Amino acid sequence: MTEIKYGTVPYNILIKLVERTGGLMFSEVEEHFLHPTQKLVSPYPTAILGNHVSELDIAALAVIYTKLSPKIKMTIPTREDIMTRNFLTKEFRTKGLTKLLLGLIDKSNIIPLLLGYIGCMPIKRPFRDNSRELLKKGELRETVDAEWNTLVENIDKGKNLFMFPEGTYNQDGFLNQIKKGVYYLKTKVEDIHFNHFNLTYDTLSFKKAKLHITYGLPFTISKDESVDSVTKLLQDKLGGSYAITLGNLISYLLLRIEDSAQLSIDTLTQSLMKYRDKLIERHPELKFGSELRNLSDAKMVSTIMEKLQKLKYIQLTEGKIKRLESMVQIPKSANNLKKHNVVLYHKNQLTKHLPKLDALVVDAS
């Protein structure tokens, strides 16, 4: 019988330290729950699956760990360079006090030590982390198989698993293609359970990103499921759990404005609040950010419009908003869409919710 590795006091303290370090990157973390216990139910053995947005996801996992029930030690597949020296200052090009703090943390080499202790396992990804060299030598397949075997061995030793089924960061605001890892896993680990979470980042409404975490419900995958059916199931679970935030809902509405239309910030705010109220009334199952739920005046909307004007997505003239062509232009590549079209990026977070949103717009017209 497998001895389950429950989180120890030192382990839980180190998780909290990783959480606090990552917290420097967020303006706030808001949590949403689908389970009535307000926990992420994860009996042994469980694979906990989530969408993969950025390097900040590792800090998000530390927050998520605090909501696990029960708290069992985790194995976390991690990109190889995160486990190396000076990662923080190379990856996060910050300024001022934050840069100083990250530099001190890097010099201490504590992050690789902490991540290794809490269960992070460095893995190679196709065409990253020297994988081209392995591919040329014909060793990539063997390396990937060995890494999967190590993951399964860790589960067999009494640990649960955090896993990003996309394998790489999603670039356009929504999910990347779901890889075959979960399908492979359910064939290798008998009676494995599954649960899921969603990470929704609002970088439009705040100076630093606000993170919304939606905690899911347990589910199972039968041994008879095909690769395609597993893929669709995960797309529905992960894609359907994006939180509706001020940033992504205002992006959705802005992209529906006619090119020639001009409206005041107050009019946009009133339309946004009416639309929000109808959406909450008709779809209480959706999760809404508190800044959107509590919106009662044009202050935050004005701040967002000023940001969009600086980014040259809109023109503001005497409080009137005119959408510019740059907002509706689709870049040639979806790579790093947040940089090239932040409005479209946030709107894409709502991809799975679009039938509900579009129907409501039609009803309201």
Side-chain angles (χ1 to χ4, degrees):
M1 185 175 180
T2 301
E3 180 185 354
I4 300 173
K5 300 293 193 301
Y6 291 100
T8 60
V9 171
Y11 183 87
N12 293 339
I13 289 173
L14 289 176
I15 289 278
K16 180 61 70 174
L17 184 56
V18 174
E19 177 192 357
R20 291 288 174 84
T21 302
L24 295 170
M25 302 299 165
F26 305 127
S27 64
E28 185 183 345
V29 178
E30 184 172 342
E31 297 172 293
H32 311 273
F33 298 89
L34 300 182
H35 199 276
T37 63
Q38 296 203 339
K39 294 290 185 181
L40 191 64
V41 178
S42 51
Y44 175 81
T46 294
I48 301 170
L49 316 174
N51 61 315
H52 203 7
V53 185
S54 79
E55 62 284 334
L56 294 177
D57 296 350
I58 293 296
L61 293 183
V63 179
I64 292 166
Y65 177 81
T66 66
K67 298 299 186 294
L68 297 185
S69 179
K71 288 184 175 63
I72 295 171
K73 289 185 177 181
M74 304 298 300
T75 293
I76 309 167
T78 307
R79 56 187 258 204
E80 197 173 50
D81 57 335
I82 290 179
M83 305 289 286
T84 60
R85 272 183 177 272
N86 300 321
F87 170 77
L88 293 178
T89 47
K90 289 178 182 176
E91 190 74 15
F92 303 105
R93 296 172 185 176
T94 54
K95 298 178 181 179
L97 181 60
T98 302
K99 181 178 181 180
L100 176 63
L101 288 173
L102 294 184
L104 292 172
I105 293 169
D106 268 340
K107 286 180 181 178
S108 71
N109 201 36
I110 194 171
I111 292 298
L113 294 173
L114 283 177
L115 294 180
Y117 182 80
I118 67 175
C120 290
M121 189 190 93
I123 60 170
K124 295 186 184 296
R125 298 161 297 163
F127 309 108
R128 295 286 297 271
D129 306 329
N130 301 322
S131 291
R132 281 195 178 93
E133 183 180 344
L134 291 170
L135 190 62
K136 288 179 181 178
K137 293 179 179 179
E139 298 174 0
L140 181 59
R141 183 70 264 167
E142 292 179 9
T143 301
V144 172
D145 286 343
E147 289 170 346
W148 268 106
N149 289 336
T150 302
L151 290 178
V152 172
E153 287 172 8
N154 283 339
I155 295 173
D156 290 340
K157 291 176 181 177
K159 293 184 178 182
N160 281 339
L161 174 69
F162 273 131
M163 183 177 176
F164 297 112
E166 299 160 272
T168 57
Y169 301 147
N170 52 65
Q171 297 286 334
D172 67 353
F174 193 60
L175 300 176
N176 273 342
Q177 180 183 359
I178 302 293
K179 304 297 193 297
K180 296 180 182 179
V182 174
Y183 176 81
Y184 177 88
L185 187 65
K186 60 105 177 174
T187 66
K188 294 293 183 181
V189 182
E190 189 175 353
D191 299 326
I192 190 166
H193 307 87
F194 294 93
N195 208 328
H196 68 98
F197 61 89
N198 175 280
L199 306 175
T200 308
Y201 292 87
D202 183 353
T203 63
L204 197 55
S205 305
F206 305 90
K207 288 184 178 180
K208 288 198 294 186
K210 177 174 178 178
L211 170 61
H212 294 263
I213 305 175
T214 302
Y215 298 93
L217 297 169
F219 65 98
T220 58
I221 301 175
S222 74
K223 291 184 178 180
D224 299 328
E225 296 278 2
S226 66
V227 172
D228 289 343
S229 63
V230 171
T231 298
K232 185 179 185 308
L233 175 65
L234 298 183
Q235 287 172 338
D236 291 341
K237 296 285 185 186
L238 303 182
S241 301
Y242 278 86
I244 299 181
T245 69
L246 179 59
N248 58 36
L249 191 59
I250 206 168
S251 296
Y252 170 80
L253 292 178
L254 284 171
L255 286 166
R256 295 187 69 89
I257 297 174
E258 294 182 5
D259 289 337
S260 59
Q262 293 191 35
L263 70 162
S264 70
I265 291 176
D266 285 337
T267 299
L268 175 61
T269 303
Q270 291 300 318
S271 298
L272 177 64
M273 291 191 297
K274 288 179 182 178
Y275 189 72
R276 169 206 64 192
D277 292 343
K278 288 189 176 182
L279 198 55
I280 291 173
E281 178 186 354
R282 296 197 189 182
H283 298 288
E285 75 281 2
L286 299 177
K287 300 301 179 184
F288 295 83
S290 58
E291 68 285 347
L292 178 59
R293 279 187 176 274
N294 299 330
L295 186 71
S296 59
D297 57 43
K299 184 177 180 181
M300 285 196 73
V301 176
S302 295
T303 301
I304 293 173
M305 293 305 106
E306 289 168 6
K307 179 184 286 190
L308 292 180
Q309 179 171 240
K310 288 180 181 177
L311 294 171
K312 299 182 179 179
Y313 290 113
I314 64 169
Q315 179 180 316
L316 284 176
T317 307
E318 297 180 351
K320 295 281 188 179
I321 304 165
K322 181 181 179 182
R323 190 179 71 186
L324 300 180
E325 182 66 23
S326 56
M327 185 187 293
V328 295
Q329 281 181 343
I330 300 175
K332 293 179 180 179
S333 170
N335 248 0
N336 200 4
L337 184 62
K338 185 171 64 175
K339 177 181 178 181
H340 299 298
N341 191 329
V342 68
V343 177
L344 184 56
Y345 176 88
H346 281 80
K347 181 254 184 182
N348 284 348
Q349 294 174 343
L350 301 174
T351 298
K352 272 289 181 181
H353 301 320
L354 287 181
K356 295 175 181 178
L357 272 62
D358 291 346
L360 192 58
V361 168
V362 170
D363 288 351
S365 62

